[in-house]
Amino acid sequence: MTRFAYLPWHDGPDPLAPPVDLRAALDQIGRDVMEGSSPRAALEELLRQGVRGTRGLDDMTRRLWQQRARLQRRNRLDGTLQEVQRLLQEALEAERRHLFPDPSDDARFREAQLDALPPGTAAQVQELANYDWQSPQGRDNYQKIQDMLGQELMESRFRGMKQALQDATPEDVERVREMMSDLNDLLAAHARGDADTQQRFEEFMRKHGEFFPENPRNVDELIDALAARAAAAQRMMNSMSAEQRAELSSLIQQAFGDPRLASEISRLDAHLQALRPGEDWTSSGRFRGQNPFGMGEGVQAMQDLAEMDALAEQLGQAYPGARLEDIDLEALERQLGPESAVDARRLSELERALRDQGLLERAADGSLRLSPKAMRRLGETALKDVVKSLSSRRGERDTARAGAAGEPTGSSRPWQFGDTEPWEVSRTVHNAVLRSASSGGTVTLDVKDVEVIETEQRARAAVALCVDTSWSMVQDGRWLPMKRTALALHHLVKTRFRSDALELITFGRYATKVDMAELTALEGVWEQGTNLHHALLLAGRHIRRHPDAQPVVIVVTDGEPTAHLEPDGDAEFNYPPLPRTLRLTLAEVDKLARLGASVSVFMLGEDERLKAFVDIMARRSGGRVVAPDLDGLGAAVVSDYLRNRQG
C-alpha cells in the first residue's frame, strides 16, 4: 500500500504561495514618486512598510529590537555562580549535620577544616578538592558542582555538549580532553601553515566528528564556527562584574575535577583569537533581569545579541550595495520565527520582480527610474479609477460607438435595439451553435445570438492639458490628484485615441512642456507665480501645429493668474494680479477661441477672485467651469475631454 506524508515545505519558497502583487506595489511606488520621492526612495519605503499580507522591514526591525531588549531585561549571567553557591551551601550544611553527633577527634578536625575555609565560593570549591566527604549528600553535591562546571564550560565552546555530557563517566571526560588536545594541535598546525593541514583535519573529523554536528568541510569552516562561539564566551565574561569574572575563572579549573580541561580551553581560545582577530572579543552587554543564565545559556545569549545586531544592519539596508538577498533568512527565522523569514523572502522576490520585469530601470546617471512599462501600468490603474468613478456617478452604458461611420475597435458586443453596426458573423454563429448544442436540437439563429462589431468615432483631437504646479497645489494636497488626473488622461489618449495629439503643460512662475515621466517625477518647488498666460500661449502653439484636429484645452488650477510673460521672456509676478497680467491672459483665451478651442477650467478651492476670473474666461471662449472635489477631478477631466473631442 502506498503511503503519503505531509510535511512542512523547506526547499525554497512555498510553491503554493500566492504570487507577489506587483500591481499593488507599483501603485504604491508610483504614488510616492508622484508625491515627490525618487523611485529608489519609493522602493525603499515600500520595502520598509511592506505590502498587504507581508510585513515590512521596519516591522521586523522593531520586533528584533524588542526581542533584544527582552533578552537583556529579563535575564542575568551569574546562573552558574548561583547554582555552585547553592550546591556548596547544601553540601557544607549536610556535612556539618553528619559530623555533629560524631564524638571522635576526626570529626572535630573535619569541622575545624570546614570552619577554616577561605571566603569566596571559588576558593572554597578549590580548597575542598581533596576533602574526604563523610556525608553522602555532601559528596554528591560536590560531584554535581564539578560535573556542572564541566558541562557548562564545554557548552560555552561547543553548542549541545551539555546534554551530551549528562551523566558523563571518567572515560567520557577523557575522550573530551583528548579531542580538545587534538583540536589544539590541528589549529597550531594550521597557524604554522603546515602542508598536511587538510589531511590532518579529515583525520580529526573521522576521529572526533561526533562533537561537531555542524559538519565543517575544512579547517576554516571549523575555525569560523569555534571562533564565533569562543568570542561570545569572552563577551559574556566581559559583561560580568570583575568579582564575578574572577570567581568563574577560578571555578572552571574544577571542571570535571580535571584542571587539564580548563587548560585546553585556554589554549583553544588563544589559537582562535590569533586566527580570527576580526571577531568581537572585547565588547559586552548589560543584563539586568532576574532569570539566571548558566555559562552555556549566557554564551548563547551573547551569540543571539550579535546575530540580532547583524540582522538589524541587514534589515536597515543602509550600507552601500545593500540588497534584500543579504538578509540571513535562517538567522531571521531563529530570532523572529518562520513567518518573518517568509515575509523577508517575499519582499526580496518583490524587489527582484520589479527589476526583472522591467518596471524599474537605470537612468544614464545610474539612478533608478520608472520604466515606460511601469508608466503604462500606472496610467492603466489611474484610468481604471477614473472609469470606476464615472460609472458610479453616471448609470449610462458605453457610448464609445458611433454607428456605421465608425471604425472597428477589434471587439464585439451583444446587439441592442437601435444598433446599426455590422454583424460580427463568426461570433453570432458561434453563439447559435453553443446554444443549439446545449438543447440538442438543430442549429437555429436567434436574436440573442447576434453580436455586432464595436466601432468608435475616429475624429482626431489636439489636446493641451495645462496643470498648475505652483506651491499652493502642494501645500493644499492637490499635487497627487493633479498628477493622477494627467496620468489617466495620458493613458486614455495613448491607448484608446492614439491619433490624438496630447501635450502636457505645467505652469508656475513659468510654463513648460513636459512628458508624462517628467510630470510624474516632478517635485513641488516653492515659488511665487501662477503664469496661466504662458501656459495658454504654449497651448495655442500646440493647437496651431494641428490645424486638422479638434482643439481641446483643459486647465487645472487653484489660483488666479499672478504672473505673465514679457516679450523679453522674463516672467513678471505680482499679487494681487496686475491688470496687465489679466489682460494678457484673456488675450490668449481670445486667440484660442478664434482657433475654435473652448477652454475648460477645473477650479480647485474656493478662491472668490479665481471664480470671478474663470467665469470671464468661460464666457469669452465658450468653455465651461467645473469645481470638482479632489476625488472627482480625474473623472471630471476625462469626461470633459471625451465630450470636447467630439466637437
Side-chain angles (χ1 to χ4, degrees):
M1 182 177 64
T2 304
R3 295 181 180 273
F4 298 94
Y6 295 89
L7 301 172
W9 178 269
H10 294 298
D11 189 14
D14 183 356
L16 299 181
V20 291
D21 190 354
L22 283 181
R23 186 171 295 278
L26 183 60
D27 287 346
Q28 182 59 50
I29 291 175
R31 182 183 182 89
D32 289 345
V33 168
M34 287 190 284
E35 287 180 341
S37 296
S38 68
R40 174 174 289 282
L43 174 60
E44 292 172 352
E45 181 66 18
L46 174 75
L47 298 176
R48 284 197 298 269
Q49 298 303 319
V51 294
R52 186 173 59 185
T54 302
R55 288 169 292 193
L57 300 179
D58 281 355
D59 180 77
M60 295 183 210
T61 303
R62 174 184 57 79
R63 290 189 294 120
L64 199 65
W65 287 120
Q66 289 174 345
Q67 174 77 355
R68 193 183 197 282
R70 280 195 298 270
L71 182 63
Q72 293 184 284
R73 188 173 59 247
R74 296 178 179 178
N75 304 293
R76 52 193 298 175
L77 299 177
D78 59 352
T80 299
L81 291 175
Q82 286 188 7
E83 184 64 9
V84 170
Q85 290 170 355
R86 183 187 68 80
L87 290 171
L88 181 62
Q89 185 64 29
E90 290 178 358
L92 293 175
E93 290 175 355
E95 183 73 3
R96 286 190 169 95
R97 285 195 305 271
H98 185 85
L99 294 174
F100 181 74
D102 186 350
S104 68
D105 291 341
D106 183 65
R108 302 289 80 74
F109 176 73
R110 292 180 183 281
E111 287 178 338
Q113 280 185 290
L114 299 181
D115 292 338
L117 288 174
T121 303
Q124 291 178 1
V125 170
Q126 189 170 4
E127 187 72 17
L128 292 168
N130 298 315
Y131 179 76
D132 184 14
W133 294 87
Q134 302 301 300
S135 160
Q137 182 182 355
R139 186 182 306 107
D140 289 345
N141 272 28
Y142 191 79
Q143 186 62 47
K144 287 180 182 178
I145 290 174
Q146 290 183 321
D147 290 347
M148 183 193 69
L149 287 171
Q151 293 163 8
E152 292 286 358
L153 178 61
M154 296 308 297
E155 178 72 11
S156 70
R157 300 310 193 278
F158 305 91
R159 187 174 183 177
M161 190 73 81
K162 182 177 181 179
Q163 288 74 24
L165 292 175
Q166 293 287 347
D167 303 320
T169 64
E171 291 76 15
D172 294 331
V173 175
E174 180 58 28
R175 286 183 60 246
V176 170
R177 192 202 63 77
E178 183 183 2
M179 180 274 292
M180 292 293 301
S181 177
D182 291 347
L183 176 60
N184 279 314
D185 291 343
L186 173 64
L187 297 185
H190 180 72
R192 291 192 303 268
D194 290 358
D196 62 343
T197 300
Q198 182 61 27
Q199 179 181 348
R200 296 181 65 167
F201 165 78
E202 293 171 357
E203 182 180 346
F204 173 83
M205 290 300 295
R206 281 194 297 270
K207 185 177 180 182
H208 303 295
E210 62 187 290
F211 294 103
F212 303 92
E214 305 91 346
N215 195 27
R217 293 169 296 181
N218 51 53
V219 180
D220 286 319
E221 288 188 6
L222 175 64
I223 294 172
D224 288 340
L226 293 173
R229 190 82 175 171
Q234 183 59 54
R235 294 196 299 275
M236 183 203 70
M237 297 291 283
N238 298 342
S239 303
M240 304 174 77
S241 67
E243 181 181 356
Q244 291 173 332
R245 196 158 50 244
E247 285 276 291
L248 193 57
S249 297
S250 297
L251 280 173
I252 60 178
Q253 299 298 319
Q254 297 301 316
F256 291 124
D258 187 349
R260 294 177 300 170
L261 197 59
S263 175
E264 294 292 352
I265 289 288
S266 179
R267 282 183 61 203
L268 176 64
D269 288 351
H271 283 311
L272 293 174
Q273 287 197 43
L275 291 168
R276 292 295 184 270
E279 289 283 350
D280 181 6
W281 301 91
T282 59
S283 68
S284 60
R286 183 186 178 195
F287 291 78
R288 53 191 184 278
Q290 299 302 314
N291 179 46
F293 271 168
M295 284 181 65
E297 293 173 315
V299 170
Q300 187 57 49
M302 299 307 297
Q303 280 198 296
D304 286 341
L305 290 181
E307 191 168 75
M308 284 188 273
D309 289 343
L311 280 172
E313 183 178 11
Q314 294 164 14
L315 292 172
Q317 297 281 289
Y319 50 92
R323 296 182 71 90
L324 291 189
E325 286 86 347
D326 300 340
I327 298 175
D328 187 337
L329 297 180
E330 292 182 359
L332 190 64
E333 181 171 349
R334 283 194 295 270
Q335 300 303 331
L336 295 182
E339 295 83 3
S340 292
V342 170
D343 288 339
R345 184 182 292 111
R346 286 182 64 79
L347 289 176
S348 178
E349 292 170 0
L350 175 62
E351 180 189 38
R352 189 184 311 113
L354 285 169
R355 298 176 188 272
D356 292 348
Q357 294 198 19
L359 300 177
L360 295 173
E361 63 182 16
R362 292 281 180 188
D365 60 358
S367 62
L368 280 181
R369 68 183 179 190
L370 296 177
S371 68
K373 182 178 180 180
M375 294 298 300
R376 286 194 298 272
R377 288 200 182 182
L378 290 177
E380 181 182 346
T381 301
L383 184 57
K384 281 185 177 179
D385 292 342
V386 166
V387 171
K388 188 184 300 181
S389 177
L390 283 171
S391 300
S392 63
R393 192 178 61 182
R394 302 165 54 191
E396 301 177 3
R397 64 184 179 133
D398 184 14
T399 57
R401 60 188 181 83
E407 295 183 18
T409 65
S411 61
S412 63
R413 56 178 177 77
W415 176 86
Q416 298 179 32
F417 180 77
D419 285 340
T420 58
E421 293 90 347
W423 285 16
E424 216 300 347
V425 177
S426 61
R427 290 294 303 173
T428 299
V429 173
H430 178 76
N431 294 339
V433 170
L434 289 179
R435 180 182 53 77
S436 302
S438 64
S439 61
T442 58
V443 177
T444 59
L445 197 63
D446 191 272
V447 68
K448 60 186 176 185
D449 300 325
V450 178
E451 292 196 20
V452 295
I453 297 172
E454 185 182 60
T455 62
E456 64 182 8
Q457 186 175 340
R458 292 297 186 182
R460 185 166 180 267
V463 188
L465 175 62
C466 307
V467 292
D468 189 345
T469 55
S470 60
W471 180 249
S472 60
M473 293 284 287
V474 180
Q475 182 175 269
D476 295 330
R478 297 158 185 158
W479 193 252
L480 182 60
M482 174 271 291
K483 287 187 176 183
R484 288 186 65 83
T485 297
L487 194 58
L489 181 61
H490 178 269
H491 187 74
L492 177 63
V493 171
K494 295 302 180 184
T495 58
R496 184 75 169 178
F497 303 104
R498 296 185 182 89
S499 62
D500 285 4
L502 172 65
E503 184 157 281
L504 302 175
I505 300 170
T506 62
F507 61 97
R509 176 68 71 94
Y510 291 90
T512 185
K513 298 181 294 183
V514 296
D515 60 31
M516 194 62 243
E518 290 174 321
L519 179 58
T520 301
L522 185 66
E523 297 183 19
V525 178
W526 189 90
E527 66 174 0
Q528 292 178 309
T530 303
N531 199 337
L532 182 57
H533 166 243
H534 192 186
L536 295 177
L537 181 66
L538 296 180
R541 292 177 182 173
H542 176 63
I543 297 299
R544 282 189 287 272
R545 282 198 298 270
H546 303 278
D548 60 331
Q550 174 66 33
V552 179
V553 178
I554 300 172
V555 175
V556 179
T557 184
D558 69 347
E560 61 182 323
T562 56
H564 65 268
L565 199 65
E566 290 288 347
D568 60 3
D570 289 336
E572 183 172 347
F573 163 78
N574 196 76
Y575 185 82
L578 297 172
R580 176 171 169 75
T581 299
L582 301 180
R583 283 198 306 272
L584 289 172
T585 303
L586 290 175
E588 291 303 319
V589 172
D590 294 339
K591 292 178 183 178
L592 288 169
R594 288 194 291 272
L595 292 172
S598 59
V599 180
S600 296
V601 181
F602 293 84
M603 182 181 66
L604 305 177
E606 300 294 333
D607 188 331
E608 293 299 328
R609 294 174 62 94
L610 174 60
K611 285 182 182 180
F613 182 77
V614 296
D615 283 342
I616 297 173
M617 286 181 59
R619 288 197 301 270
R620 305 253 307 236
S621 69
R624 65 185 190 132
V625 177
V626 183
D629 57 29
L630 291 179
D631 290 337
L633 176 61
V637 168
V638 168
S639 179
D640 187 79
Y641 158 72
L642 293 173
R643 182 182 64 85
N644 280 326
R645 78 178 303 278
Q646 305 300 327

